[in-house]
Amino acid sequence: MSGGQRLFVGGAWTEPDGGYYEVTDPATEECVGLAPEASPDQVRDACAAAREAFGPWSRTSPEERAAVLGRAAEVIRAHAEPYTTLARAETGATTGTARGMQVGVAAARFRRYARVEPAEWAIPPQVNEAGPMGRAAVMGALAVRQPVGVVTCVTSYNNPWANAAGKVAPALAMGNTVVVKPAPQDPLSVYRMAEALEEAGAPPGVVNVVSGRSVAVGEAAVDSPDVDMVSFTGSTAVGRRIAEACGRDMKRQLMELGGKGAALVFDDADVPSAVAGIGTTFSFYSGQICTAPTRVLAQRGVYDRLVSELALYAQHLKVGDPGDRTTVVGPVISSTHRDRVESYVELGRKEGASMVTGGERPLFDRGFYIAPTLLADCTNDMRVAREEIFGPVVTVIPFDDEEEGIALANDTDYGLIDYVWSADIARAFRVARRLRAGGVGVNTVARNMEAPFGGFKKSGVGRDVGSYALHAYSEIQSIVWPG
């Protein structure tokens, strides 16, 4: 098999040692294109190229780096339509989602990090009472943000454009170089991003992209002695293995892992607003999103109404061809993942949950579709309520009072983003402060794109987004001198 996408290593488009494999459109089950299978040696070559490029790139001015990122944003915007078509075909996302939340967000992230941020802070002079020979001394100091070095970026399959941009743009802005290892299901979009950066003037070796289905590809990208940091988005199980590998060499890490977001809906909540927010689990990436409010905790006074309206909401969502602008729910990424989600739905039945709506496979000739599914009468000890399903499946659990709701929300291994719906804003913020999650949405599922993003517990380590991403891809160095 030949004629497919080549690797991007050291500024050169390189034939893969391992040949090519097909990337499948989840909606049609047809081949989108041929992706390259790198060998471990080619991955190590990419890491070595990034190491060689690091010195010169890290010494460029923030303004020079910002100019490259700004030009990359313009290239992405100029090619938005073909990039959107590819993203839709690779991921199964609807056209609107692929255009706005994938390609559009990627361009916005490159523009965001093209804004030069201060990387140095003066520290007020400090009088040291016990100086040399017992004399007091005034010491000046400066805190400087230095780049970490070579960063391996392992990206997720649910949003190859925005996720990769959220790693690559701040890392480059701080003077790091990167090796991107995209998810094997949809790597072609990430290669288009590399082309955009190449066109924007990124020097050879500053950005490298290597892909493959073999576990050895990812292992080589993490284990290389040329790598100083790993930024990973994916499952908690894989993140744990990467963290163990990083720990051996004290490599820095940024881990954005699984989620099982609790959505607490109190008796006084605006139910239509809560339904619309929770309903994004059915539609947004077909539930393949770590921030989804998949675990609904409904106070008993509103429980029946919420379940009824969520069911009606789910039943009115159009499932089908993501290229049709009226489609709301597209397919999941693969037949393997569809089988996994369906096994959880069946498990929920066996555990005693009530199947309110969904649970069946839509009758399409092709494509990996799952009907939006609502499981009610759940308890927090059920596996469907505790484990990340990563599909259009919502579980609903009743609770009696505020204390029980908080206890149920916190009774989980995860802690990425939780949600609170209540007309009592004082209570909503009181509850939010007691939730063990990296983020909390109060009467909304929308996010502020400058707010720090990351999880508590097994949902990850570290924070990114906005200025926090610049912090994540840098080390703080102090410089001290006699005043």
Side-chain angles (χ1 to χ4, degrees):
M1 190 181 294
S2 61
Q5 171 65 55
R6 291 177 293 173
L7 306 167
F8 190 53
V9 177
W13 294 95
T14 305
E15 291 291 329
D17 290 343
Y20 299 89
Y21 66 91
E22 291 187 353
V23 175
T24 302
D25 185 331
T28 65
E29 302 184 44
E30 296 175 352
C31 178
V32 175
L34 302 179
E37 182 76 37
S39 67
D41 282 343
Q42 288 181 308
V43 177
R44 287 186 279 269
D45 288 345
C47 298
R51 171 59 58 196
E52 184 176 353
F54 170 65
W57 178 251
S58 66
R59 291 191 292 271
T60 59
S61 69
E63 290 79 10
E64 290 176 273
R65 299 194 293 267
V68 171
L69 298 179
R71 289 193 294 269
E74 293 308 310
V75 173
I76 293 171
R77 288 181 62 187
H79 295 85
E81 285 310 305
Y83 289 168
T84 294
T85 299
L86 175 61
R88 186 188 69 211
E90 278 196 296
T91 67
T94 63
T95 298
T97 296
R99 179 183 293 113
M101 299 306 297
Q102 294 202 35
V103 178
V105 169
R109 285 181 168 171
F110 277 101
R111 285 198 303 273
R112 162 63 180 87
Y113 294 107
R115 289 172 13 208
V116 179
E117 295 285 337
E120 299 182 355
W121 294 269
I123 298 172
Q126 173 70 43
V127 178
N128 291 353
E129 297 293 347
M133 305 297 291
R135 298 172 185 168
V138 178
M139 303 302 295
L142 190 67
V144 180
R145 286 204 173 272
Q146 298 277 21
V148 178
V150 175
V151 181
T152 287
C153 302
V154 184
T155 66
S156 61
Y157 71 72
N158 59 346
N159 196 331
W161 276 98
N163 187 256
K167 298 177 185 296
V168 171
L172 296 185
M174 287 305 303
N176 303 282
T177 55
V178 298
V179 176
V180 187
K181 193 280 178 188
Q185 297 93 332
D186 47 15
L188 302 178
S189 289
V190 180
Y191 284 105
R192 300 291 80 74
M193 186 180 297
E195 287 178 353
L197 282 158
E198 181 185 34
E199 185 176 338
V206 168
V207 177
N208 306 268
V209 183
V210 289
S211 59
R213 295 175 295 181
S214 169
V215 173
V217 174
E219 289 177 342
V222 170
D223 292 339
S224 168
D226 287 311
V227 170
D228 301 290
M229 175 180 173
V230 176
S231 175
F232 171 73
T233 299
S235 72
T236 296
V238 175
R240 184 184 291 113
R241 294 199 294 272
I242 291 174
E244 290 170 353
C246 289
R248 289 193 294 269
D249 295 316
M250 299 301 291
K251 293 179 180 179
R252 280 27 181 177
Q253 54 190 282
L254 178 62
M255 297 283 175
E256 197 263 281
L257 308 177
K260 191 69 176 178
L264 286 89
V265 183
F266 287 92
D267 286 345
D268 62 349
D270 180 336
V271 173
S273 173
V275 167
I278 295 163
T280 60
T281 302
F282 301 132
S283 57
F284 194 43
Y285 296 125
S286 302
Q288 299 167 114
I289 186 78
C290 54
T291 59
T294 60
R295 188 168 56 109
V296 178
L297 308 175
Q299 198 166 13
R300 290 191 187 275
V302 75
Y303 179 87
D304 289 340
R305 180 186 174 192
L306 184 70
V307 169
S308 176
E309 293 195 19
L310 269 174
L312 288 173
Y313 186 95
Q315 291 160 6
H316 283 86
L317 297 176
K318 181 179 177 181
V319 181
D321 176 9
D324 183 337
R325 62 187 181 87
T326 64
T327 293
V328 180
V329 183
V332 295
I333 193 68
S334 67
S335 61
T336 300
H337 189 57
R338 178 181 59 186
D339 291 345
R340 177 181 181 275
V341 174
E342 288 178 338
S343 72
Y344 269 105
V345 173
E346 181 58 29
L347 175 63
R349 284 196 183 102
K350 292 178 179 177
E351 290 182 312
S354 300
M355 182 69 61
V356 182
T357 190
E360 74 285 347
R361 184 179 295 185
L363 298 177
F364 296 118
D365 293 335
R366 296 178 297 175
F368 311 127
Y369 293 95
I370 299 172
T373 300
L374 181 64
L375 298 172
D377 302 321
C378 296
T379 59
N380 212 42
D381 58 351
M382 293 179 176
R383 284 180 59 191
V384 289
R386 302 197 69 82
E387 299 177 14
E388 186 175 40
I389 298 174
F390 221 59
V393 181
V394 171
T395 62
V396 189
I397 301 168
F399 71 91
D400 289 310
D401 56 28
E402 183 177 313
E403 288 300 318
E404 184 187 13
I406 293 169
L408 288 170
N410 288 334
D411 182 18
T412 174
D413 290 336
Y414 297 105
L416 189 55
I417 294 187
D418 286 344
Y419 304 88
V420 180
W421 270 275
S422 174
D424 184 341
I425 297 302
R427 173 169 66 179
F429 276 82
R430 180 175 67 244
V431 171
R433 292 291 297 268
R434 293 183 60 190
L435 297 178
R436 299 294 296 165
V440 181
V442 174
N443 295 325
T444 185
V445 293
R447 292 184 49 237
N448 182 317
M449 296 311 294
E450 287 296 312
F453 179 73
F456 287 14
K457 298 183 276 188
K458 293 182 182 178
S459 284
V461 177
R463 297 292 183 272
D464 64 358
V465 178
S467 296
Y468 297 90
L470 299 174
H471 301 171
Y473 293 98
S474 62
E475 298 270 29
I476 296 181
Q477 176 188 60
S478 63
I479 301 174
V480 180
W481 63 91

